[in-house]
Amino acid sequence: MGDVEAKVSGSKSCSRKWSFGIDDLNGTLVQNFFAELLGTMFLIIFCVGSANSVALLSLGANSPAYYLTISMAFGLGIGGIVHILSSTSGGNVNPAVSLALFLDGRISLLVALAYIVAQFAGGFAGAGILYGLGNFGDNEIPPMGQNIIIIPEHIDVVHAFFLEVFGTMFLILTILATIDESRGHAPSYLQPLAIGLAILVMHIFLIPFTNCAINPVRGTVWNVVTGKADEKTLIFLFAPFVGSLVAVPLNLVFFTKH
């Protein structure tokens, strides 16, 4: 989800500058575009698909095993996807992550926009494939895993919005820590693992409240494809971006060595 292999040169965050990125308009960007598209497609098919397992229905939606199973699928699944994409795009697979990397001066505006377009395209493709392969149109079992306010009598849209903001902040701070060159992390499988574990923890925390989006693509495309999108879906579209906007300066001021 971040440039896990630390492909950006070893300059410190304070010396990185924002760039439009006209020089990034080349074949590498095309390769990375399709890497992000495929990676996000896998995320929706396999991770959101895990929430649609018939086997989970027998556990009951209030069972701790239900939350843990889905949380592990998302955490370990996305960790694997990041590892697969680490030598190309770095495995953003989340527009909030691409925004954070742009704000932190690690990718250009052009690259960030290309990645975000690829992520939404891959997300809708994955949602369509999952809906079709799950045969939900003719299946008596309704599709599950949409991002909604789980218990509306306990939390409202404001609570849900800030829960998603804080969840995304934790994810972005974890990513920025794993790619911080000043910490001397050697590129390895440990960076995707750290990111995956952060996602796992956030799902354990947020599933009982919002089903955990912390990703504008994950929070919207499955809702749209399954016909469950409404005005509350905007929470899951915009809250992760706000989390990124807060996390990047927070990391620079409090968690980066100066």
Side-chain angles (χ1 to χ4, degrees):
M1 311 196 92
D3 194 352
V4 176
E5 298 294 338
K7 293 186 295 177
V8 177
S9 62
S11 60
K12 293 184 179 180
S13 59
C14 57
S15 64
R16 288 189 294 268
K17 296 181 180 179
W18 294 342
S19 166
F20 180 76
I22 194 66
D23 292 337
D24 292 320
L25 194 60
N26 52 39
T28 299
L29 180 60
V30 175
Q31 179 190 28
N32 293 350
F33 178 93
F34 284 101
E36 285 294 315
L37 188 153
L38 291 171
T40 313
M41 184 182 74
F42 292 154
L43 187 160
I44 299 299
I45 294 173
F46 300 127
C47 298
V48 176
S50 71
N52 287 275
S53 170
V54 176
L56 289 178
L57 295 178
S58 62
L59 296 176
N62 295 320
S63 167
Y66 177 84
Y67 296 131
L68 287 171
T69 300
I70 297 174
S71 299
M72 289 178 66
F74 271 89
L76 298 179
I78 293 175
I81 292 168
V82 171
H83 193 49
I84 293 170
L85 273 61
S86 61
S87 63
T88 52
S89 67
N92 292 206
V93 297
N94 182 338
V97 173
S98 296
L99 173 62
L101 294 181
F102 165 68
L103 294 175
D104 199 46
R106 292 181 174 274
I107 61 176
S108 68
L109 177 61
L110 179 63
V111 170
L113 292 175
Y115 285 4
I116 290 171
V117 170
Q119 290 152 6
F120 274 102
F124 275 110
I129 291 170
L130 177 60
Y131 190 85
L133 294 180
N135 197 28
F136 289 112
D138 300 321
N139 199 328
E140 293 182 359
I141 301 174
M144 301 170 63
Q146 297 90 350
N147 284 111
I148 58 174
I149 298 176
I150 300 297
I151 310 176
E153 60 268 26
H154 288 178
I155 64 170
D156 58 23
V157 294
V158 176
H159 294 113
F161 184 88
F162 281 102
L163 282 165
E164 288 288 327
V165 167
F166 279 105
T168 308
M169 285 173 56
F170 182 76
L171 171 62
I172 298 301
L173 288 171
T174 301
I175 292 170
L176 294 177
T178 63
I179 61 175
D180 185 350
E181 302 90 349
S182 68
R183 301 189 183 205
H185 299 313
S188 72
Y189 65 89
L190 292 177
Q191 283 93 337
L193 179 61
I195 293 166
L197 289 175
I199 292 169
L200 189 157
V201 170
M202 284 303 96
H203 276 76
I204 293 174
F205 171 55
L206 287 174
I207 285 176
F209 297 108
T210 64
N211 247 0
C212 189
I214 59 174
N215 180 335
V217 173
R218 187 272 182 267
T220 57
V221 298
W222 187 235
N223 287 37
V224 171
V225 169
T226 58
K228 298 295 183 181
D230 58 20
E231 66 276 3
K232 294 184 179 66
T233 303
L234 295 175
I235 296 170
F236 309 107
L237 176 62
F238 292 113
F241 286 122
V242 174
S244 288
L245 289 170
V246 175
V248 173
L250 196 67
N251 178 72
L252 180 62
V253 173
F254 294 109
F255 305 121
T256 300
K257 184 177 180 180
H258 297 285

